[in-house]
Amino acid sequence: MTGHSIVSILVLASTLLSLDIEPFRQRRLVVRDKLGPRSALVLFTSEVHRRNGDVNHEFRPDSDFWYLTGHPEQDTRLILTGRDMSEFEELPFKNEIIFAKPRDPRWERWNGKRLGEYGARNSLGFQAFAISDSFETVLEAIIPHVDTLFTNRMDLRNGENSPTVSRQLPGSVPDGIVIVDAGTIIHPLRHVKSPEEIELLIKAVEITGKAIEEAMTRTQPQQFEYNSQAIIEFVFSDLGSKRPGFPSIVGSGPNSTILHYTENDRLMRNGDLLLIDVGAEYKMYTADITRTIPVNGRFTPQQKEIYNYVLKVQQTVFDSVEVGMTLGDLTRIAKNYLRNKGFDRYLLHGVSHWLGLDVHDVGGRGALIKVGTVFTIEPGIYIPENDDSFPEAYRGMGIRIEDDVLMTEEGAVWLSAQVPRGISQIERIMRRGRHGFRRGRQIQK
């Protein structure tokens, strides 16, 4: 699977990022074609959130906004229309315009370069550019010419009650305007991945798999969970991932039974299992892979027994995947398998979710598996510490195995097949020793 050639270099802060603008341009064309003559789409990117004091959390663009723009900066907005707006004298664009902050040498000296108008037009291919401060004026001028507004801010009508929106609109959108979630147009497009998107997901999976394998070689008793987390996230960065796609879950012993455990601060002990659920984000697309490993390098007989149940149900689900199924269908297959083994009540979650720009990507449980969709298969068995229906050696044991799957014309394909998941594979890797990182197998960045 090969994508388009790289056609531009985008300056993101002080880092050069290769970006092919054509997929973004084509997506905007598709969306504009879906808008009626009296419809407009208005997208806001994510907000910057305060972490503490005068420090903010890292900014990441809103996924829908990125999908249509490729614009990486905060305080930006997008308007698309189904009608040529240039016939109206007060409107400075035809049918697409992006609003962003202008270049500012003083601000950039502290914070890094902005794209500005030149970057938006030439690096991202936008027809029209305006500074962020003019957004309210342009939107007010559009409102008389539309009756339907698609947006990712469903609270626009109640702007006076929303601190976020009241900074962006001088008043409420009139009652005569129908406000519709922009996802009704964008999410069906995002649901089926293009070849370019699949390439990015494959790289995210490669990075994640190598990080997990490195953690296998270095994890041992009397380390803390965050030591394994640090190994994983170092490899993410070392191989070209800017950040994790979600907070890393690294839970040992009884913490392996907590589905979204992220404290990652327990001292790991001999005989513990360690559940590692992580995903590298690569150019905005994230992997999601889970492996459960023995901290001391060898599974106990009881751990092997439960692990093999999970492994077999995962393979059973994979072998059953067909175009036209839903994720709910896959969960029912897993539940039925485990019910026959007496373990169905210990599967606490659905066994699949969509994957893409978001770790729990758009589509929902009712969406159909189609050629080009990417999803996880992640069964698990979680036996509480206080469950006296099991002998003590089974209690407090959580085992999840999660892999990423692409649906193709020929059938389902494991994207993460290279990440060791069999008991003998894992034990063999953990016996190799923990002698530092193997950094020779770089992924092309």
Side-chain angles (χ1 to χ4, degrees):
M1 288 167 282
T2 58
H4 296 292
S5 60
I6 300 300
V7 297
S8 67
I9 298 295
L10 170 66
V11 178
L12 171 56
S14 59
T15 303
L16 291 177
L17 170 66
S18 297
L19 187 72
D20 183 349
I21 66 171
E22 191 57 29
F24 299 97
R25 196 201 315 265
Q26 290 299 321
R27 293 166 192 160
R28 295 197 298 273
L29 285 172
V30 171
V31 170
R32 278 163 31 197
D33 287 345
K34 292 180 179 295
L35 295 172
R38 289 191 58 81
S39 297
L41 180 138
V42 178
L43 289 186
F44 301 80
T45 196
S46 305
E47 298 297 314
V48 177
H49 296 285
R50 185 61 55 84
R51 180 183 182 275
N52 60 288
D54 59 353
V55 177
N56 295 325
H57 283 286
E58 178 188 7
F59 173 77
R60 181 192 186 275
D62 173 83
S63 294
D64 283 347
F65 189 88
W66 174 266
Y67 185 75
L68 294 186
T69 68
H71 200 292
E73 297 171 5
Q74 62 197 53
D75 200 21
T76 52
R77 293 114 178 164
L78 172 71
I79 295 179
L80 303 179
T81 62
R83 177 180 183 177
D84 185 345
M85 291 292 174
S86 61
E87 61 185 274
F88 304 109
E89 186 176 343
E90 70 274 19
L91 290 171
F93 70 102
K94 185 176 181 181
N95 44 33
E96 70 171 31
I97 183 170
I98 191 164
F99 300 82
K101 290 292 188 182
R103 297 292 305 275
D104 181 341
R106 183 176 180 181
W107 185 93
E108 291 176 4
R109 186 175 180 85
W110 285 87
N111 300 287
K113 292 181 180 179
R114 286 177 175 151
L115 286 171
E117 180 173 5
Y118 180 87
R121 288 181 180 273
N122 293 279
S123 293
L124 296 180
F126 277 92
Q127 295 175 0
F129 170 91
I131 62 172
S132 299
D133 292 347
S134 66
F135 169 75
E136 298 171 357
T137 301
V138 174
L139 183 60
E140 283 187 324
I142 288 173
I143 291 297
H145 307 296
V146 302
D147 51 31
T148 304
L149 193 65
F150 293 86
T151 182
N152 59 347
R153 289 285 169 80
M154 296 300 290
D155 52 355
L156 286 183
R157 180 157 290 134
N158 300 312
E160 66 273 19
N161 298 319
S162 168
T164 298
V165 176
S166 64
R167 291 198 303 269
Q168 298 163 336
L169 297 175
S172 300
V173 173
D175 288 338
I177 303 292
V178 177
I179 299 179
V180 182
D181 188 343
T184 60
I185 292 180
I186 300 171
H187 292 177
L189 304 178
R190 283 180 54 189
H191 181 55
V192 178
K193 273 49 181 184
S194 67
E196 296 86 3
E197 292 178 287
I198 292 169
E199 288 287 351
L200 296 178
L201 281 165
I202 287 172
K203 288 189 177 181
V205 168
E206 287 184 70
I207 293 170
T208 304
K210 290 180 179 180
I212 290 174
E213 189 170 344
E214 195 63 60
M216 289 179 183
T217 69
R218 291 176 62 88
T219 294
Q220 55 188 319
Q222 299 306 305
Q223 292 178 339
F224 288 92
E225 294 163 340
Y226 54 69
N227 294 129
S228 294
Q229 177 185 359
I231 293 165
I232 290 163
E233 294 181 3
F234 169 81
V235 176
F236 284 1
S237 297
D238 198 42
L239 296 183
S241 168
K242 185 176 180 182
R243 57 188 157 235
F246 55 93
S248 297
I249 298 169
V250 185
S252 64
N255 292 337
S256 65
T257 68
I258 303 172
L259 300 185
H260 284 171
Y261 169 80
T262 56
E263 293 296 323
N264 303 345
D265 60 0
R266 178 179 177 272
L267 183 68
M268 298 183 288
R269 296 181 172 87
N270 190 48
D272 283 347
L273 290 176
L274 176 65
L275 189 151
I276 299 169
D277 184 345
V278 294
E281 182 180 290
Y282 185 80
K283 297 186 179 180
M284 298 290 288
Y285 288 81
T286 186
D288 186 7
I289 302 173
T290 304
R291 292 293 182 266
T292 307
I293 65 174
V295 169
N296 65 8
R298 293 192 65 84
F299 290 93
T300 68
Q302 296 83 4
Q303 291 167 351
K304 286 182 179 180
E305 177 187 350
I306 303 302
Y307 191 97
N308 278 323
Y309 283 137
V310 177
L311 192 61
K312 288 175 182 176
V313 72
Q314 188 195 37
Q315 189 65 47
T316 298
V317 172
F318 176 82
D319 291 342
S320 304
V321 171
E322 293 181 358
V323 169
M325 283 184 164
T326 67
L327 301 188
D329 293 331
L330 303 188
T331 297
R332 282 187 286 274
I333 292 168
K335 285 277 190 180
N336 288 337
Y337 180 93
L338 289 175
R339 187 174 295 115
N340 294 331
K341 305 295 182 181
F343 283 100
D344 56 303
R345 67 190 177 101
Y346 297 101
L347 173 58
L348 307 178
H349 52 78
V351 300
S352 296
H353 60 78
W354 307 111
L355 197 62
L357 284 168
D358 299 321
V359 64
H360 294 153
D361 207 40
V362 298
R365 301 198 65 76
L368 300 180
I369 295 174
K370 301 177 181 180
V371 173
T373 55
V374 180
F375 52 95
T376 66
I377 299 180
E378 52 171 311
I381 292 176
Y382 312 92
I383 302 173
E385 282 186 282
N386 59 356
D387 191 333
D388 57 11
S389 64
F390 279 90
E392 187 174 352
Y394 292 87
R395 298 175 198 166
M397 184 190 306
I399 296 176
R400 180 164 66 251
I401 307 171
E402 179 178 18
D403 285 278
D404 302 337
V405 177
L406 167 67
M407 196 66 196
T408 73
E409 294 280 2
E410 291 74 33
V413 174
W414 294 114
L415 293 183
S416 47
Q418 76 279 11
V419 189
R421 64 185 179 126
I423 286 174
S424 60
Q425 288 178 297
I426 291 171
E427 290 184 339
R428 183 170 60 252
I429 288 169
M430 296 187 76
R431 283 197 300 269
R432 289 178 185 169
R434 299 151 177 90
H435 303 302
F437 297 108
R438 299 183 306 282
R439 298 173 57 184
R441 297 175 296 167
Q442 294 284 328
I443 291 179
Q444 186 177 0
K445 300 177 185 178

PDB file of all heavy atoms in Angstrom, residues 65 165 203 413:
ATOM      1  N   PHE A  65     -11.087  18.162  12.788  1.00  0.00           N
ATOM      2  CA  PHE A  65     -10.473  19.357  12.213  1.00  0.00           C
ATOM      3  C   PHE A  65      -9.207  18.982  11.432  1.00  0.00           C
ATOM      4  O   PHE A  65      -8.991  19.435  10.306  1.00  0.00           O
ATOM      5  CB  PHE A  65     -10.145  20.349  13.327  1.00  0.00           C
ATOM      6  CG  PHE A  65      -9.708  21.702  12.846  1.00  0.00           C
ATOM      7  CD1 PHE A  65     -10.639  22.691  12.585  1.00  0.00           C
ATOM      8  CD2 PHE A  65      -8.364  21.985  12.639  1.00  0.00           C
ATOM      9  CE1 PHE A  65     -10.238  23.947  12.123  1.00  0.00           C
ATOM     10  CE2 PHE A  65      -7.954  23.220  12.180  1.00  0.00           C
ATOM     11  CZ  PHE A  65      -8.895  24.206  11.929  1.00  0.00           C
ATOM     12  N   VAL A 165     -17.465  28.943  23.923  1.00  0.00           N
ATOM     13  CA  VAL A 165     -18.084  29.475  22.715  1.00  0.00           C
ATOM     14  C   VAL A 165     -18.307  30.973  22.813  1.00  0.00           C
ATOM     15  O   VAL A 165     -18.216  31.690  21.823  1.00  0.00           O
ATOM     16  CB  VAL A 165     -19.407  28.733  22.441  1.00  0.00           C
ATOM     17  CG1 VAL A 165     -20.121  29.333  21.249  1.00  0.00           C
ATOM     18  CG2 VAL A 165     -19.133  27.262  22.191  1.00  0.00           C
ATOM     19  N   LYS A 203       2.703   2.027  10.497  1.00  0.00           N
ATOM     20  CA  LYS A 203       3.907   2.520  11.163  1.00  0.00           C
ATOM     21  C   LYS A 203       3.684   2.672  12.664  1.00  0.00           C
ATOM     22  O   LYS A 203       4.571   2.362  13.475  1.00  0.00           O
ATOM     23  CB  LYS A 203       4.349   3.842  10.538  1.00  0.00           C
ATOM     24  CG  LYS A 203       4.935   3.662   9.145  1.00  0.00           C
ATOM     25  CD  LYS A 203       5.563   4.943   8.632  1.00  0.00           C
ATOM     26  CE  LYS A 203       6.215   4.721   7.267  1.00  0.00           C
ATOM     27  NZ  LYS A 203       6.867   5.935   6.743  1.00  0.00           N
ATOM     28  N   VAL A 413      -6.825  -9.035   8.213  1.00  0.00           N
ATOM     29  CA  VAL A 413      -5.370  -9.156   8.279  1.00  0.00           C
ATOM     30  C   VAL A 413      -4.901  -8.616   9.628  1.00  0.00           C
ATOM     31  O   VAL A 413      -5.278  -7.512  10.034  1.00  0.00           O
ATOM     32  CB  VAL A 413      -4.697  -8.364   7.136  1.00  0.00           C
ATOM     33  CG1 VAL A 413      -3.185  -8.376   7.295  1.00  0.00           C
ATOM     34  CG2 VAL A 413      -5.099  -8.924   5.782  1.00  0.00           C
TER      35      VAL A 413
END
